[in-house]
Structure formats: structure tokens, C-alpha cells
Amino acid sequence: MEMQNSRTPPANGKPSPLTRLNTFVAESRVGKRFKLAERNTTFTTELRAGTATFLTMAYILAVNASILSDSGGTCSVSDCVPLCSDSSVAASNCSGANLRLIQPDSSCKFDPVNPGYTACLQNIRKDLIVATAASSLIGSLIMGTFANLPLALAPGMGANAYFTYTVVGFHGSGNVSYQSALAAIFIEGLIFLLISTIGLRAKLAKLIPKPVRISSSAGIGLFLAFIGLQNNQGIGLIGYSSSTLLTLGACPSTARAALAPVFTSGNGSVTILPGGTVSGDILCLHSRMQSPTFWLGVVGFVIIAHCLVKNIKGAMIYGIVFVTAISWFRNTTVTVFPNTDAGDTSFQYFKKVVDFHVIKDTAGALSFKSIGKAYFWEALVTFLYVDVLDTTGSRVFWEKNPGSLYSMARFAGFTDENGNFEGQYFAFMSDATAIVVGSLLGTSPVSTYIESSTGIREGGRTGMTAVTAAGYFLLALFFTPLLASIPPWAVGPPLILVGVLMMRSVVEIQWDDMREAIPAFATLILMPLTYSIAYGLIGGIGTYIVLHVWDMGEGQFRKFGIFKVVKGGNIGANGAESEADRDGSVKALEV
């Protein structure tokens, strides 16, 4: 039976307004450019598909900015302001026998965070919201216009966490500055563009051992879930323990304490050890599981989980919107606008609702000063690996990696028997170009989103779906005050559930083969526990090499005639083949 589409006129012979609109667009230059009729789709179907795609990935606007702002961005000690020794006295009135003005040092970036640094972070978060929306807009627009594929792009989850917590470090406590990390992404994007041009992507993906490739996406998912369970960008369920390292948390902010490596001198004065930093409020002193924001985050988790179970589109958005809306009420225990100077400033900006924020600090902030350091190249290679695997890797194992560009093309039915699809060259180029653009705006690498499958399920078959999603990202640029007011306990549940979605690849690991299972497990466990994608990959690849070094050596020895495989268990002299070698079935190794 032939399926009727929306271009088929009704029984009375008079086409409906939607049918006439679809027919008009399909026959226009725009419709022919996007091949609407050729791909058996309509203008309204593409609009609906683009809307569905945006709704399922719009959470990245808040989540990405929240994660990246933890790096501190371009904020530094110079943004901190002098404070009076008596915290109840303003710096301008700090005069008297028992009062002194304390000049800021490197500790001003950590709890208790200096008010000047806090104000800088608020501006950085606004910049990053705009950078996220703009890079998603440009990437999706390029993909839709040039590749004509229904695939939307945005800064990738996992890469943003690695950028913040491993490369740059919390509030700039890592080995590479925010500016240098952007430079690493910029160079990585150019390399990515080059290898896309000359067709080296698939060959690079094949260099990574198969169990490490398969388990890396699940390891990144565990990494994201681990972040979502903590305080900075999560619900705060996990806290610090001096005996077990991790334990149950979820205590109110008034019951939490920061930690720091300190030295107590003979006169009783306490100073931070050289190179030491003050942590966030990670230690629960009492009142575990009594945090109001934690329980509100749990409600958001249940909402998102239920929507995912029922396959409701925009599941992540519903949970974020509910938790955020509750948190916008002032004078409550879960408010995101406390009665402080910072809370008052945030509330005044929130009340604007509509405001077009111009990027002031993150755009063009690249610095190549660290290009000669090993940490710089470690970050660059890791970013390159994640991007290569996210697209080309699926050509090697696309049935096992549902989150990449090839997989989305296959899901839409665009691939042939060789895995190729129409527009793949421009798709790769769009992906690489978006990475370069994102680095110039100040965000982590941009990639194709698995949420594009939602639009494809809605019937999206052309680049008009991606262009529609880009249009929504354009609208998001004007609602920065609302997006900047989303609290961490609203961001945590999506991070945890994104981790759930990324765990699906573990079923493809050959757990019965220990030479495959052990490297895969090493990759899985090391990514979250070392807070680094790079260390997880190094551990997985290193373990794979150790477990396969005998087989590799044996292959080389056999290649040069030192070892030889013979059959029947009979060993001939000087490599002579015995009669059993020809018709026997048992293999032995001859030296």
C-alpha cells in the first residue's frame, strides 16, 4: 500500500492551505535547492522536524555555558577586588586601628570567591550562552545549507567537561589557560579540516583499538553523570569523605565546608601550601540528604526520566524548565537569587527577560603561549580523537556507535552498501568548520548531535530541518537573561540522564574475551575517576597493548620466518613442512 503524504489532495479535490503551501515551496528555488520532492518530504514536515530537533537539544544552551564557566574563562586575579579584614565593613570604609585592606591573591578565585571574580564569572557565563547559541546556529546553518542533511550541531557533551575540569581546571587551576585551550581547539579544528579534505578520517579512527573505541562513549557518559551528581554543576548527591574519598552528600549549603592544604606555623598562623588551592563546598558537616535544592533536582530527574520512558520529545527541556521556574521565586530555600549583592545583581538582569548580549571577553581570546608545552598537545590530541571518533569512527563501527554523524546518516536511510552518503564531504567540512568557529567564539568543540535523530523520526530528510533548528538558536540569542538564570540543580539531572543514554554502547563489548573486556573496562572506569577523557583513553590503549604485545611480537617473528605455524603438532627442521602440515588440523608454533 502506498503511503499518502501531505501533498496528496483531499477527497473533495480541493487542496488544503497546507498542501498548497507545501506544493508552492517544493516547486520554488528553495524547495528544489533542498530537494524536498526528490526526498519525498514537505516544507511543513521539515519545520516540524527542525522544531523537534531543537527541543531535544536546547538544554545545551544552559548546560554548556554552566560547565564552561566553571573554567573561569578569561577571569583572573586582576578581576578580584581588595577586601577589608572585617568582612562586615566595605573596602571603601576600611580604616581604623584594627582594620586593614587585604589585597587579592590567587586564592581569591576559590571559596570564599572574591566578589570581583564572581561578577566576572557572571559576565563570562553570559558570553558563553551567546557563544553556545551562535556556534550551534552557524554549525547547523552550514550543515543544512551546504550538506543538505537534517543534522544539527552544538558544542559536544564530554568534550566541554574535559575542557573545563581537566585542561583548564576549576577556575583556571589546571595546567593550560582558558585562552591556550581555545588555541588548541582552533589548531585541532584546522587539522580536522585538513584530514577531512584529504580523506584520512577513517584511517585515523582505525588506529584506536576496537574495545577502546566502543567503550569511550560510555566512559564519557559516566564522566558526565559523575559531574551531574556533584555540587558545582549537579544535584549534590555525592560529597567528599576524608576516609573513603567519596560519600553521600546532599546537605544544605550552610552545612558544607571547603577544604584546602594548609600549613600551621609555630605562632599559630595558617597559610595555604605553595601550589595549593581552596576547593568548593565539597565536605558535608551534617544534615546529609536534607538539601532542598537536591530534592528539587530529584523531581527534575524524575520528570525527565518519565518523559524518556514515554518517548516524549523535549524530555530534557521539561525537567530543566520545571526546576528552574521553581528556583526563580525569591525568599525560598531553593531560590537561585539569594538576598546577597550577587543575588540582587542576577535578579535585576533576569528581570530584563529579553536582551541581546554582545560577547565581550570570550570571543577571539585565543593565546598560543603554551604551544610548546606537553599539556597543550595532550589536550589537542584528545580533542582531535573525540571529534574523529564522533564522525568517522562510526564508519568503522557505526552499528555500535549511535551518536555520530555516519550513524545519523544511516538512521535517515542516506547511506549505501559501502557506508557512503550524499553530501558526506560537505558534512565533514561543516563539522570541522564549526569547530574552528566555536573556538573563535570561546566554546569547546562543536559536533553533530544524536538528538538529530528526533527530527529524523519526525520525517526530516533535508537540510531544511537543520536550518529550522538554526533559526531557533537565533531566537535564543535574545533570551540570555533567562538562560543565565538556570541553577546547577536544574542542569544536573540532564547530565546524569545523558550519561544513561551514552551507556548503550557497552552491550557491544565482548565481555567473554578478557583481552577485549579489560581495556574496555579500564577506559570506562578511568574517565570518571580521573576526571579526564585523556587518561581514560591512555589507560585503555595502554592496557590493550600490554595484553596484545605477545600476539604482536609473534606476528612480527612469523613475518621474518623466526616463528612458523605448523599443523598436527609436528615440528619440522628449519621450517620444513611435514606431511601432517598439509592435511592435519592442529596448529603448533615452530621456532
Side-chain angles (χ1 to χ4, degrees):
M1 182 177 67
E2 185 179 355
M3 184 177 297
Q4 182 178 3
N5 58 44
S6 57
R7 290 190 299 271
T8 304
N12 58 13
K14 185 178 180 180
S16 66
L18 283 182
T19 302
R20 292 198 300 270
L21 174 62
N22 288 328
T23 303
F24 173 77
V25 175
E27 295 175 352
S28 67
R29 293 183 60 182
V30 174
K32 293 178 180 178
R33 170 66 181 80
F34 285 104
K35 301 181 179 180
L36 295 178
E38 183 177 330
R39 296 188 181 179
N40 195 31
T41 185
T42 64
F43 175 65
T44 53
T45 299
E46 296 294 307
L47 293 183
R48 185 175 68 249
T51 302
T53 297
F54 175 79
L55 288 176
T56 54
M57 64 183 293
Y59 69 90
I60 193 61
L61 293 169
V63 174
N64 188 62
S66 296
I67 291 176
L68 292 182
S69 62
D70 268 357
S71 70
T74 58
C75 299
S76 64
V77 177
S78 61
D79 294 294
C80 298
V81 296
L83 298 175
C84 188
S85 56
D86 185 348
S87 59
S88 62
V89 179
S92 58
N93 300 324
C94 190
S95 60
N98 298 324
L99 299 176
R100 62 187 179 90
L101 201 62
I102 302 175
Q103 297 299 323
D105 56 19
S106 58
S107 64
C108 74
K109 300 186 296 182
F110 307 99
D111 285 340
V113 181
N114 186 281
Y117 194 82
T118 300
C120 180
L121 287 179
Q122 291 175 347
N123 291 327
I124 288 296
R125 191 179 184 205
K126 296 172 188 175
D127 282 359
L128 290 171
I129 290 173
V130 175
T132 302
S135 59
S136 304
L137 161 64
I138 296 171
S140 300
L141 188 62
I142 294 174
M143 179 69 77
T145 304
F146 293 96
N148 196 22
L149 293 171
L151 308 177
L153 287 78
M157 295 294 291
N160 53 7
Y162 173 71
F163 176 96
T164 297
Y165 302 112
T166 304
V167 180
V168 181
F170 181 73
H171 288 184
S173 59
N175 297 306
V176 180
S177 68
Y178 173 80
Q179 294 88 335
S180 296
L182 290 179
I185 296 174
F186 178 76
I187 296 175
E188 178 260 329
L190 294 178
I191 296 173
F192 204 31
L193 196 60
L194 176 63
I195 64 176
S196 300
T197 304
I198 60 180
L200 283 179
R201 282 190 170 193
K203 293 181 180 179
L204 286 177
K206 290 178 181 178
L207 294 178
I208 307 299
K210 181 180 178 181
V212 178
R213 290 200 307 264
I214 297 174
S215 62
S216 61
S217 62
I220 293 172
L222 290 176
F223 185 22
L224 293 174
F226 192 40
I227 294 171
L229 289 169
Q230 299 177 56
N231 275 322
N232 284 336
Q233 293 303 333
I235 58 179
L237 178 62
I238 293 177
Y240 171 76
S241 169
S242 58
S243 57
T244 61
L245 189 59
L246 295 175
T247 187
L248 201 64
C251 55
S253 58
T254 54
R256 295 198 299 261
L259 300 176
V262 298
F263 171 77
T264 304
S265 60
N267 61 4
S269 62
V270 178
T271 57
I272 297 179
L273 292 174
T277 58
V278 182
S279 73
D281 293 336
I282 59 175
L283 177 63
C284 269
L285 302 175
H286 54 81
S287 304
R288 299 183 190 276
M289 300 297 292
Q290 296 181 29
S291 169
T293 57
F294 164 73
W295 289 109
L296 181 58
V298 169
V299 174
F301 176 89
V302 172
I303 291 174
I304 298 174
H306 178 75
C307 291
L308 289 174
V309 169
K310 298 298 183 180
N311 199 24
I312 298 174
K313 300 177 182 64
M316 302 288 184
I317 294 298
Y318 297 138
I320 292 176
V321 168
F322 176 82
V323 175
T324 301
I326 298 297
S327 303
W328 280 345
F329 290 97
R330 301 202 75 177
N331 302 315
T332 66
T333 56
V334 295
T335 182
V336 73
F337 305 118
N339 292 316
T340 61
D341 291 339
D344 293 339
T345 302
S346 298
F347 187 66
Q348 292 302 319
Y349 183 67
F350 162 75
K351 289 194 297 184
K352 290 183 177 181
V353 181
V354 177
D355 178 59
F356 184 83
H357 177 80
V358 179
I359 299 179
K360 300 175 181 177
D361 298 310
T362 62
L366 288 74
S367 173
F368 296 90
K369 292 181 180 179
S370 301
I371 196 170
K373 297 181 180 179
Y375 290 110
F376 180 92
W377 291 99
E378 176 189 304
L380 189 152
V381 171
T382 303
F383 285 131
L384 181 62
Y385 162 78
V386 173
D387 287 330
V388 167
L389 201 60
D390 190 53
T391 52
T392 313
S394 55
R395 187 171 184 175
V396 183
F397 61 105
W398 37 264
E399 290 183 355
K400 303 175 177 62
N401 184 13
S404 49
L405 193 154
Y406 261 108
S407 302
M408 292 300 97
R410 177 177 177 268
F411 182 75
F414 294 149
T415 56
D416 57 22
E417 62 276 6
N418 298 319
N420 298 313
F421 58 91
E422 182 183 357
Q424 68 176 17
Y425 176 79
F426 288 108
F428 291 153
M429 299 296 287
S430 302
D431 208 42
T433 302
I435 294 173
V436 175
V437 171
S439 68
L440 294 175
L441 292 173
T443 187
S444 52
V446 178
S447 62
T448 303
Y449 258 55
I450 186 176
E451 283 80 0
S452 300
S453 62
T454 305
I456 294 173
R457 280 198 297 266
E458 284 294 312
R461 290 296 179 270
T462 74
M464 194 172 285
T465 296
V467 172
T468 302
Y472 284 110
F473 282 116
L474 177 62
L475 290 177
L477 291 173
F478 296 93
F479 293 95
T480 306
L482 299 182
L483 296 171
S485 302
I486 297 176
W489 49 91
V491 173
L495 287 177
I496 298 169
L497 289 165
V498 167
V500 173
L501 296 175
M502 297 181 72
M503 285 297 295
R504 69 183 70 182
S505 62
V506 297
V507 300
E508 303 298 338
I509 299 172
Q510 298 180 18
W511 293 108
D512 294 334
D513 185 352
M514 287 296 103
R515 292 187 301 180
E516 300 285 315
I518 294 174
F521 181 77
T523 304
L524 281 172
I525 199 69
L526 288 178
M527 282 188 182
L529 296 187
T530 62
Y531 236 61
S532 171
I533 297 174
Y535 295 156
L537 295 175
I538 292 171
I541 295 172
T543 306
Y544 182 88
I545 292 175
V546 169
L547 296 179
H548 287 77
V549 66
W550 170 254
D551 294 336
M552 297 175 183
E554 178 185 327
Q556 292 299 317
F557 284 137
R558 189 184 303 137
K559 179 179 179 181
F560 292 104
I562 300 176
F563 284 178
K564 181 178 180 180
V565 176
V566 296
K567 298 179 180 180
N570 298 321
I571 303 178
N574 297 324
E577 186 179 14
S578 65
E579 191 69 26
D581 297 331
R582 300 186 184 91
D583 49 22
S585 59
V586 181
K587 294 185 177 181
L589 188 66
E590 175 188 347
V591 181

